[in-house]
């Protein structure tokens, strides 16, 4: 028998075939698709996240769980209005101009998505004006930038300046990360937050969303 | 004509020690790398700053301060010689005039140090691989290829002793293989794409090295592959056993440079070095605890066991309580080398090598695969074929088997999940055919074709 | 009743090795210092910032981040134990509530690490000597004395394992003696003022340590005397031979703490440690190449030869490419200790000790005086008298003689001016009487009486 | 026979007894006392400075030379008007509030004095207002501050702010030094110069004086 608990467990196990069966069964039973998402699929990822943080799950396992959740989502999504889709918030993410590192960025995206954020990936070597254009187009709550080189970290600064110049800096929280980046640097250039790695970035974004929207957002 | 490596360069495991190698390389200044002495290899980089026409002068001053500082300290501590590595930041390869200027500054300061202190030095120039600036990467032509070669050529003409690179062929596929711990894709990335790119690239680099006087093609590093895996494993993101296997499957790729004519010392961050040394007899550069400022690792001591130069990988020009960080790095490397060389002078290098090994080998699978006897056993199998792809597949099989055995026999600490992952990898490896093209056809449908261009690899 | 040391703690030079001492000390967590294993001792400090009521919270967070970071890395690298040193910045002793808060934060994090990782730890609390805040210094009473003792007492009650200090009695005279390379004044500063102050101070500290459960008075460091001399010598400001002699004349001063009841491990930056270990049998802390971020030195390896804990001295919380600097320091110390302990496990600690010695001893006179045989020879003479001042004078004579002999026999590298300076020192030492009070009366007229208060030293 | 060259050599040798004989002899011959200073005593120190910089002389030897020069000065000084005394410039030096380190500071003073500067030593643990008061009183061209601790280096910043507040910042060049201090920090807080140690500080001050007074000052 398919239950919400089975769905959660299936997400945790990362079983791509089984999830389809389970979710379809619940849909057929007439269960509210939003309930399937919140109490089944996302609930599963909510077990995954702390296990990853405590070192009991590896990234590839988390990714399998995320893929499994997404597989389930595919079935319920068509049944819900876009506006009703549960989301913690929207974030655009990119590696700054001149910098080609993307593993860290991709890990972050994976972690954010599997924690219920909608992520727009701008890729690597993203120019200042492209960050601005993406903010204008996607209207995210958060902009995330990473730099892995001492010679590209100043591009974070120039991107923030560009956001100010184009009048959209106040619409977003800016979070930054990467090997040479520090909290002090974040403070210096006026970023809103700094995160050491992908696993702490989610907490940071949760705090940011809390500042933006109040408690509501986090428990969404 | 590519060289063939069909047997080990050593007969006796006891001869396989740090500081000496069957094929030493002599620099213009008279340093004999692999000739008995371990030399420090110092690396450094800029603090956080923009690079453009208005800041390049400042950057040049910083490099000048760094090199003068480290060479002064090296002389004060009576080091028998220093290998300097200049590894460029992208801006310095994209605008070769920047990179050329810095390289000349370093060479000049080295000359001054020779006059002032009688210090022996040599320089390894390592342009970063710019070809990945195109997405998907364009590997064999185009603007980035041209500027990169321009920097190589001029550096060689200006007097660089060694040229190296951390080449990135196949990285576009390997990146996602790592975070998914997908061993099949990693074998494709390293064993097919990596090896094919190395063949093309190093043929060119060996020719370029030939343009200089006593300039040598030194070797490559699978840094963006195997060291990224190690860092991800240290963070607990991927299994340590996966990172250990990646390390060894990077060996056949690294070997291609030597088949094409590279002579060492191989790159510092290429921990595949011990295998290269066992197979080719060429000297290698390694890095460990004294490179902790660049990356933490589980192989702080064992990395030195058969090293011929000992490196700090990289450190920014920041102030510590005593001095600027590169000077601190120089001092630490020199003391590490002094200790190893003191043992050699006593005829105790084998004892010391074995202590370096004992220190780490049982505590992490990534250290375990660098044990000289493990290196010998795996290398002895790899030389049985001359097919780079097959070698890569074999490297994976052999490493999985070595690790299973070691864990079962309690010879190395392991995570309770490690055996599961080794089984999983073995199963995946078993699905791989022995022929590269057959494998390519098999895996093609799983590859993200937006990310790579087959023809850039002759596919 | 003060203890008497009238013979060496060792019969055989071969027993005088790192990691084990005749009188090991066991911590609450079960670390046995001097019991066979060398432990890392980690130190750290704040980045540049003001300390006041509005910033103390930020400082506390920084310390909390540091300790959590270093202990996590220590656990990941399976270290058998970690000694944490909390050496206060002046603000934290002047306002004991600040110092007490940080000490508690560290102790709490250590407890958490024990639960989370099973990591064994201990803490050495080292308030800075605040008494020199008065100019001239007031050594035995007053506001600074009181706040300093308050911090000591509460730390002991809160669970510190060890208390230490870098005491400054006599520094007000020694400072100018150093830059003038005036050996007579230095002997007065260390052998009269320093020893007298140590007697008073350590009697108090031993009593305070007794207020705690398993808390030990650990030892002092002549940091502001002998390490300042070393740093000045490294900069080329004063002769290396002068710094070498200062090192050894700091020994009788350090010994006073042990006569009063200190049991070790003596302070990391107290390079007089080997002499203390030879004479008292107590374990010692030392620092060398892995403390290069705090100060460069000519004794990077030899410092470890008979060390029981191995320290990084201090490093600010700044970001390096890999991680925060204290975490980098932790990793480096652990690998150094692993290597030493691996040798011990093989029964090769004597071989390894001798390599550490061979590495540096012939290259600098300051390293030479730390050679175990030199330490034994000089120590064996020093224990023949119980008069601290006479011991200090003898230390100077013996060291000058050892160095002259070594230089003449070509056993140690020396500057062409060194012999001249040794002769000069010898002449000056020969003018010194054997009685402290007689010496005081002789030198009184040369002392700057604005700088020190004789009655604070019972003179 | 006493010559100016003998005087210079005697300063270099640090012979405290001989210098009195030589200088007195020149005075008795009727030589211009300013010439004795410039071409004899200071000329001697001008040989000492580069020898120290190249590592051929130790600090105690430099100090002996400086003492010797001063011994000679004592004899000629009474013969000259104060205003005519050759001086490169005046500098006040102190270790900042909360910091007790003085060896580095004292070395600096010694180097500055023996290079022809007039130095006012404010000692250690010098409060912001005491620096300001000293600037007002002594009217120096240069103010030197040192800090050896990460927790006192910000006191350099607050002292500079105090100089600004009291309207005397523009009258002086501010140079700073000490273990935790860097060029970057100097730039950040608006100091005019940073020096790594006592031996490079003299060059720095010479450059500063050049900016203030032109070539004249240095060759004084
Ligand atoms: Zn690398
Ligand atoms: Zn100290
Ligand atoms: Zn310390």
């Amino acid at each position: 028998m398919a239950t919400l608990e089975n769905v959660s467990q299936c997400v945790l196990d990362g079983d791509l075939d089984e999830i389809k069966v389970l979710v379809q069964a619940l849909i057929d039973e007439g269960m509210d698709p939003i309930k399937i998402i919140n109490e089944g699929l996302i609930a599963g990822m909510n077990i995954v996240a702390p296990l990853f943080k405590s070192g009991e799950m590896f990234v590839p396992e988390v990714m399998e769980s995320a893929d499994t959740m997404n597989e389930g989502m595919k079935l319920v999504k068509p049944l819900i209005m876009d506006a009703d889709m549960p989301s913690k918030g929207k974030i655009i993410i990119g590696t700054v101009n001149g910098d080609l590192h993307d593993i860290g960025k991709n890990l972050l995206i994976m972690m954010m998505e599997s924690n219920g954020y909608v992520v727009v990936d701008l890729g690597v070597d993203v120019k200042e004006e492209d960050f601005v254009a993406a903010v204008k187009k996607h209207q995210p709550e958060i902009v995330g930038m990473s730099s892995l080189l001492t010679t590209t970290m100043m591009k974070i600064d120039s991107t923030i300046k560009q956001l100010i110049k184009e009048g959209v800096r106040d619409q977003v929280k800016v979070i930054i990360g990467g090997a040479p980046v520090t909290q002090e640097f974040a403070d210096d250039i006026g970023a809103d937050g700094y995160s050491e790695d992908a696993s702490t970035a989610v907490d940071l974004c949760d705090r940011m969303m809390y500042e933006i929207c109040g408690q509501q957002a986090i428990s969404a | 004509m590519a060289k063939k490596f069909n047997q080990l360069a050593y007969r006796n495991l006891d001869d396989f020690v740090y500081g000496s190698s069957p094929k030493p390389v002599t620099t213009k200044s008279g340093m004999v790398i692999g000739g008995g002495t371990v030399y420090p290899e110092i690396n450094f980089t800029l603090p956080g700053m923009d690079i453009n026409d208005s800041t390049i002068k400042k950057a040049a001053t910083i490099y000048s301060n760094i090199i003068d500082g480290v060479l002064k300290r090296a002389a004060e501590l009576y080091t028998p010689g220093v290998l300097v590595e200049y590894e460029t930041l992208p801006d310095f390869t994209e605008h070769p005039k920047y990179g050329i200027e810095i390289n000349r500054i370093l060479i000049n300061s080295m000359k001054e140090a020779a006059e002032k202190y009688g210090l022996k030095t040599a320089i390894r120039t390592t342009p970063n691989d710019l070809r990945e600036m195109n997405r998907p990467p364009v590997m064999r032509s185009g603007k980035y290829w041209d500027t990169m070669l321009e920097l190589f050529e001029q550096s060689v003409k200006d007097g660089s002793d060694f040229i190296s690179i951390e080449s990135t062929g196949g990285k576009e596929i390997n990146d996602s293989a790592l975070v998914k711990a997908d061993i099949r894709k990693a074998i494709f990335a390293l064993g097919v794409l990596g090896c094919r790119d190395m063949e093309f690239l190093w043929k060119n680099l060996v020719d370029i090295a030939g343009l200089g006087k006593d300039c040598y093609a030194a070797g490559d590093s699978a840094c963006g592959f195997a060291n990224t895996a190690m860092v991800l494993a240290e963070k607990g993101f991927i299994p340590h056993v996966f990172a250990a296997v990646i390390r060894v499957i990077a060996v056949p790729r690294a070997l291609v440079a030597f088949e094409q004519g590279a002579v060492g010392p191989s790159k510092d961050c290429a921990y595949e070095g011990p295998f290269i040394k066992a197979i080719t007899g060429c000297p290698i550069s390694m890095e460990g605890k004294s490179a902790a400022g660049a990356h933490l690792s589980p192989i702080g001591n064992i990395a030195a066991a058969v090293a011929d130069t000992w490196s700090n990988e990289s450190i920014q020009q920041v102030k510590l309580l005593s001095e600027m960080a590169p000077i601190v790095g120089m001092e630490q490397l020199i003391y590490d080398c002094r200790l190893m060389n003191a043992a050699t002078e006593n005829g105790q290098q084998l004892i010391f090598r074995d202590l370096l090994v004992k220190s780490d080998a049982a505590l992490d699978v990534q250290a375990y695969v660098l044990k000289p006897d493990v290196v010998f056993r795996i290398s002895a199998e790899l030389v049985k074929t001359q097919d780079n792809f097959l070698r890569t597949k074999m490297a994976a099989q052999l490493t999985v088997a070595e690790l299973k055995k070691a864990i079962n026999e309690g010879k190395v600490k392991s995570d309770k999940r490690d055996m599961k992952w080794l089984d999983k990898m073995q199963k995946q490896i078993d699905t791989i055919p022995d022929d590269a093209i057959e494998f390519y056809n098999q895996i093609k449908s799983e590859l993200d074709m937006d990310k790579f261009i087959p023809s850039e690899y002759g596919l």
Side-chain angles (χ1 to χ4, degrees), chain B residues 232-280:
Chain B
L232 292 172
E234 278 312 285
K235 283 183 183 285
F237 287 176
I238 62 173
H240 283 219
V241 285
F242 184 80
V245 174
I246 293 291
R247 176 69 63 208
V248 187
I249 67 173
V251 170
R253 173 196 167 280
L255 209 48
V256 177
F258 293 80
E259 289 176 336
Q260 294 301 320
V263 297
S266 75
K267 265 280 291 172
D268 51 358
C269 61
Y271 294 110
E272 50 274 31
F275 296 87
I276 299 302
K277 183 165 172 170
I279 293 170
T280 68

Side-chain angles (χ1 to χ4, degrees), chain A residues 120-183:
Chain A
V120 180
D121 179 9
L122 302 182
V124 297
D125 192 16
V126 180
K127 294 199 172 45
E128 289 87 339
E129 52 268 34
D130 295 339
F131 273 107
V132 172
V135 167
K136 288 181 177 170
K137 179 175 168 197
H138 298 288
Q139 300 285 325
E141 282 88 6
I142 300 173
V143 175
M145 287 183 252
S146 80
S147 149
L148 265 282
L149 296 172
T150 55
T151 45
T152 56
M153 61 192 278
M154 299 312 294
K155 291 292 189 324
I156 299 177
D157 183 34
S158 54
T159 304
I160 291 179
K161 293 212 171 92
Q162 191 71 17
L163 290 170
I164 294 170
K165 200 177 146 198
E166 300 263 343
V168 294
R169 172 68 184 87
D170 295 340
Q171 299 173 22
V172 293
K173 296 277 182 185
V174 173
I175 66 167
I176 69 176
V181 175
T182 62
Q183 182 64 55

Side-chain angles (χ1 to χ4, degrees), chain A residues 13-87:
Chain A
D13 296 342
D15 191 329
L16 279 168
D17 297 323
E18 180 73 4
I19 196 74
K20 291 183 217 165
V21 179
L22 291 172
V23 170
Q24 191 58 53
L26 292 179
I27 293 171
D28 293 346
E29 277 175 27
M31 188 180 280
D32 176 5
I34 292 191
K35 192 170 178 180
I36 299 176
I37 294 177
N38 280 338
E39 295 173 36
L41 296 168
I42 289 184
M45 286 312 295
N46 286 343
I47 310 171
V48 168
L51 287 174
F52 173 63
K53 234 174 135 178
S54 66
E56 284 160 89
M57 278 180 85
F58 292 120
V59 165
E61 294 162 338
V62 176
M63 291 181 90
E64 277 176 22
S65 291
D67 287 349
T68 306
M69 175 188 72
N70 286 331
E71 205 59 39
M73 285 286 190
K74 273 191 212 159
L75 294 173
V76 281
K77 238 182 182 172
L79 311 175
I80 318 174
M81 307 272 281
D82 259 13
D84 292 338
M85 267 299 289
S87 156

Side-chain angles (χ1 to χ4, degrees), chain B residues 320-332:
Chain B
L320 300 180
L321 292 172
S322 56
E323 257 301 348
M324 303 307 284
I327 294 176
V328 171
M330 186 80 252
E331 172 147 335
Q332 293 183 328

Side-chain angles (χ1 to χ4, degrees), chain B residues 216-414:
Chain B
Y216 301 102
D220 204 300
S221 166
C223 189
F225 304 80
N227 293 346
T228 301
M230 179 172 75
V231 170
L232 292 172
E234 278 312 285
K235 283 183 183 285
F237 287 176
I238 62 173
H240 283 219
V241 285
F242 184 80
V245 174
I246 293 291
R247 176 69 63 208
V248 187
I249 67 173
V251 170
R253 173 196 167 280
L255 209 48
V256 177
F258 293 80
E259 289 176 336
Q260 294 301 320
V263 297
S266 75
K267 265 280 291 172
D268 51 358
C269 61
Y271 294 110
E272 50 274 31
F275 296 87
I276 299 302
K277 183 165 172 170
I279 293 170
T280 68
C282 294
I284 63 170
S285 176
M286 293 288 280
E287 62 189 40
K289 62 183 168 190
S290 304
H295 54 72
L296 306 182
S297 87
I299 52 180
N301 284 321
I302 197 172
V306 299
D308 299 296
T309 73
W310 183 237
S311 155
N312 71 326
E313 161 85 27
S314 192
I315 195 98
Q316 325 98 298
Q317 174 80 333
V318 294
K319 184 89 186 289
L320 300 180
L321 292 172
S322 56
E323 257 301 348
M324 303 307 284
I327 294 176
V328 171
M330 186 80 252
E331 172 147 335
Q332 293 183 328
L333 293 174
I334 288 172
Y335 278 111
D336 286 347
C337 291
R338 268 195 196 178
L339 193 53
M340 290 192 266
N341 291 329
T344 303
E345 280 167 34
N346 279 1
Q348 295 170 321
Q349 65 271 40
L350 195 58
I351 293 176
F352 201 89
R353 179 200 76 179
D354 287 344
L355 289 175
L356 290 163
V357 171
K358 182 184 163 83
S359 161
D360 304 344
L363 295 176
D364 193 286
V365 288
Q366 295 170 89
Y368 187 84
V369 299
L370 296 185
K371 278 187 76 183
D373 58 328
V374 175
V375 168
F376 259 42
R377 272 201 300 279
I378 292 178
S379 298
E381 294 300 315
L382 295 184
V383 292
K384 290 181 182 166
T385 174
Q386 298 299 308
D387 179 319
N388 291 318
F389 165 68
L390 189 54
R391 267 186 185 159
T392 307
K393 180 186 163 186
M394 281 171 62
Q397 286 171 316
L398 293 162
T399 309
V400 168
E402 280 282 352
L403 289 178
K404 281 189 166 190
K405 187 157 176 285
I407 291 172
N408 281 332
E409 292 173 359
K411 285 187 180 161
V412 61
K413 255 198 169 75
S414 74

Side-chain angles (χ1 to χ4, degrees), chain B residues 1 102 191 209 214 258:
Chain B
M1 262 297 295
I102 304 303
D214 298 324
F258 293 80

